[in-house]
Amino acid sequence: MSQINKLKIFNDPIYGFITIPNALIYDLVQHPYFQRLRRISQMGLSYLVYPGANHTRFHHALGCMHLMQKVVDVLRFKEVNISPEEENALYIAILLHDVGHGPFSHAMESSIVEDVHHEEISLLLMNELNIEFQGQLNLAIKVFKGEYHRKFMLQLISSQLDMDRMDYLKRDSFYSGVSEGNVNSERLIQMMNVVDDVLVIEEKGIYSVEKFLMSRRLMYWQVYLHKTSLAAELTLTKVLKRAKELTERGIVLPCSEPLLFFMQKKVKMETFDPKTVKLFTKLDDFDIISALKAWENQDDFILSSLSKMIINRDLFKIKLTNDKVPLEELQLQKERFSIQNKISLAESNYFIFKGKIKSQAYSKIAEPIRILNKDKTIEDVVEASDQLNLKSLSKLVTKYYICFPKQLI
């Protein structure tokens, strides 16, 4: 294929046209590892609450790369020296930052694989691609791992004001219809600058940063931690755990070959060999949904009931409180449910359980968002802002929940 044919454009509903800057980026986008992201939902099971939220991680990764192109233009205009190699490394690192996500990734991270996070798998896949592309991803991997001396480059990929957050807030807001998340990414990018290889926001951009942090808080409580989305994700986690438990007992459940592999094996980071990586890249949302449809008809009461809950959107009732759930209340409900459904008390844990969720719009412990004042001094946005609510946004908010089937109400 000629070089010209590789400089494609994508029509994106958020930003308009997104351009592919060079042939290497085109080849990475065309690679099966990246094309798989078309089959991974960006917001997991949130479409059960917000019907429009069916966009994919493919959309999101391209959007992040587009924002990175804008940042590079702005910084170069402000005479920040970025070499062509560094520019390409930024595009590759942000394009591939989510390539390690599994289907409904957060549910999968706590059931099928054992505490293996998508960032670690992304790095494994980037290393595989680097071999295939004969070392052309060397610098991108260095930046992604935070090993490159120019700190701002990592900040653009992973920080409290990175291209990842900037795109997913705007994109998830658009597709879910929750307008509170619609951040002004254009303005934020125009306000970016670099001082001593560290990313800063010029003082006049402080209100845009405040709006960005407020949008993040609202999107977490209204969308990402919406109680019905949470109930759906917890149900899926329980289904996958039960399927794994039954598989370990020697019961062969109908599912795709890659999913069966992860059901039969205890997969930890140290056992993620090339064969495991290969099978992981064959997994997507379709494997899980197909399995749930097959598991609806299994003899196991727990597996079939939980599968039906997701397929038919008949989810757990979930109650959120500011206080811890008393154990006695939980125990009584479990006893009633186990008698009603002729299952053991231990098995009733699949249907009645408690937990907690946390959210923090801005962390004072993590890398701060730095404001560059007119007098050239630099300070943390919380100190620079005259908004009292920014201080409250940096508080860690914890809520407790209890989940139970609707027939127990």
Side-chain angles (χ1 to χ4, degrees):
M1 186 184 278
S2 72
Q3 171 87 4
I4 295 160
N5 283 345
K6 292 189 171 191
L7 304 180
K8 298 280 186 192
I9 55 171
F10 288 90
N11 197 346
D12 182 69
I14 314 286
Y15 309 117
F17 291 114
I18 292 177
T19 56
I20 299 288
N22 57 54
L24 173 60
I25 301 286
Y26 175 85
D27 290 337
L28 287 168
V29 168
Q30 280 295 92
H31 195 279
Y33 288 0
F34 191 79
Q35 288 293 319
R36 181 185 74 100
L37 296 181
R38 289 182 185 272
R39 304 185 298 279
I40 305 277
S41 166
Q42 170 69 14
M43 289 174 66
L45 289 163
S46 290
Y47 62 81
L48 295 174
V49 180
Y50 299 103
N54 272 308
H55 56 302
T56 66
R57 293 200 178 272
F58 182 86
H59 283 117
H60 165 60
L62 287 174
C64 290
M65 186 194 68
H66 172 75
L67 292 180
M68 192 66 87
Q69 288 171 290
K70 297 276 180 203
V71 172
V72 168
D73 289 346
V74 165
L75 294 180
R76 277 188 175 152
F77 180 75
K78 293 178 182 178
E79 299 183 343
V80 176
N81 183 33
I82 298 171
S83 71
E85 292 75 27
E86 289 172 331
E87 176 185 4
N88 225 21
L90 284 169
Y91 297 159
I92 293 166
I94 198 68
L95 187 73
L96 301 177
H97 78 283
D98 268 355
V99 78
H101 266 288
F104 305 109
S105 57
H106 303 295
M108 180 150 178
E109 279 175 13
S110 48
S111 54
I112 293 184
V113 292
E114 301 195 6
D115 294 323
V116 183
H117 300 291
H118 69 268
E119 294 92 348
E120 296 172 299
I121 303 172
S122 291
L123 192 54
L124 283 176
L125 294 179
M126 284 165 84
N127 286 325
E128 292 269 320
L129 287 166
N130 197 28
I131 294 164
E132 204 172 312
F133 284 86
Q134 298 169 332
Q136 291 183 83
L137 278 67
N138 280 338
L139 187 55
I141 290 168
K142 209 172 172 183
V143 171
F144 185 79
K145 288 164 78 174
E147 291 172 357
Y148 193 56
H149 67 278
R150 304 193 76 185
K151 194 174 177 181
F152 80 91
M153 291 178 66
L154 176 65
Q155 288 173 291
L156 291 172
I157 291 151
S158 179
S159 69
Q160 297 202 75
L161 188 61
D162 56 24
M163 299 308 105
D164 176 30
R165 289 182 184 191
M166 225 178 276
D167 180 81
Y168 77 61
L169 287 174
K170 198 172 179 70
R171 191 168 297 278
D172 297 351
S173 158
F174 175 87
Y175 281 98
S176 63
V178 177
S179 59
E180 285 83 353
N182 188 10
V183 297
N184 191 345
S185 52
E186 195 73 29
R187 168 87 176 155
L188 283 163
I189 287 170
Q190 288 297 329
M191 293 299 108
M192 287 183 170
N193 208 332
V194 170
V195 176
D196 297 329
D197 277 335
V198 172
L199 189 69
V200 293
I201 302 291
E202 290 163 4
E203 189 181 337
K204 56 189 178 214
I206 194 163
Y207 303 114
S208 301
V209 176
E210 287 171 3
K211 165 76 165 60
F212 170 83
L213 293 172
M214 186 55 78
S215 298
R216 191 163 184 266
R217 176 182 175 269
L218 293 170
M219 284 295 282
Y220 265 85
W221 289 117
Q222 208 170 323
V223 178
Y224 308 128
L225 297 175
H226 185 289
K227 61 181 192 172
T228 309
S229 296
L230 183 62
E233 191 175 293
L234 290 165
T235 309
L236 182 57
T237 306
K238 296 280 180 189
V239 176
L240 294 172
K241 277 192 169 167
R242 182 59 174 178
K244 191 154 187 167
E245 193 182 302
L246 293 172
T247 306
E248 282 167 2
R249 286 189 208 163
I251 298 165
V252 180
L253 296 172
C255 63
S256 68
E257 188 190 333
L259 184 56
L260 186 63
F261 172 85
F262 284 92
M263 288 292 176
Q264 290 172 336
K265 297 268 189 299
K266 271 195 189 310
V267 178
K268 296 181 179 177
M269 195 58 214
E270 52 271 23
T271 58
F272 240 98
D273 56 18
K275 184 198 173 189
T276 309
V277 168
K278 197 88 185 143
L279 281 160
F280 183 84
T281 61
K282 300 287 182 202
L283 268 183
D284 55 49
D285 289 5
F286 295 94
D287 295 81
I288 304 291
I289 297 297
S290 302
L292 292 176
K293 285 165 71 179
W295 296 345
E296 277 187 291
N297 307 312
Q298 289 299 297
D299 293 335
D300 183 71
F301 168 76
I302 297 167
L303 189 69
S304 68
S305 302
L306 294 173
S307 299
K308 281 175 190 162
M309 279 182 174
I310 297 174
I311 295 296
N312 302 324
R313 199 197 177 276
D314 182 19
L315 301 164
F316 287 123
K317 185 79 182 158
I318 185 165
K319 277 187 187 171
L320 290 177
T321 68
N322 293 323
D323 306 308
K324 288 186 178 180
V325 179
L327 273 172
E328 307 77 61
E329 185 189 333
L330 209 64
Q331 201 57 27
L332 281 169
Q333 289 201 5
K334 284 181 188 174
E335 284 167 10
R336 267 177 57 205
F337 189 80
S338 61
I339 291 163
Q340 275 173 10
N341 296 285
K342 300 181 177 61
I343 59 172
S344 72
L345 203 55
E347 288 174 329
S348 68
N349 286 327
Y350 277 103
F351 297 92
I352 300 157
F353 50 92
K354 66 185 180 78
K356 62 183 174 184
I357 46 174
K358 295 177 181 180
S359 179
Q360 188 177 26
Y362 181 72
S363 168
K364 283 184 161 183
I365 303 162
E367 182 79 35
I369 296 173
R370 295 176 176 88
I371 302 296
L372 175 66
N373 296 314
K374 286 192 177 73
D375 62 4
K376 302 295 181 203
T377 58
I378 294 171
E379 56 186 334
D380 189 322
V381 66
V382 173
E383 309 310 322
S385 169
D386 57 6
Q387 275 282 64
L388 286 172
N389 65 7
L390 266 206
K391 287 187 172 60
S392 61
L393 283 181
S394 54
K395 269 201 332 221
L396 181 66
V397 179
T398 304
K399 291 189 181 181
Y400 300 90
Y401 63 79
I402 177 169
C403 270
F404 52 90
K406 283 178 181 159
Q407 63 262 40
L408 276 178
I409 298 169

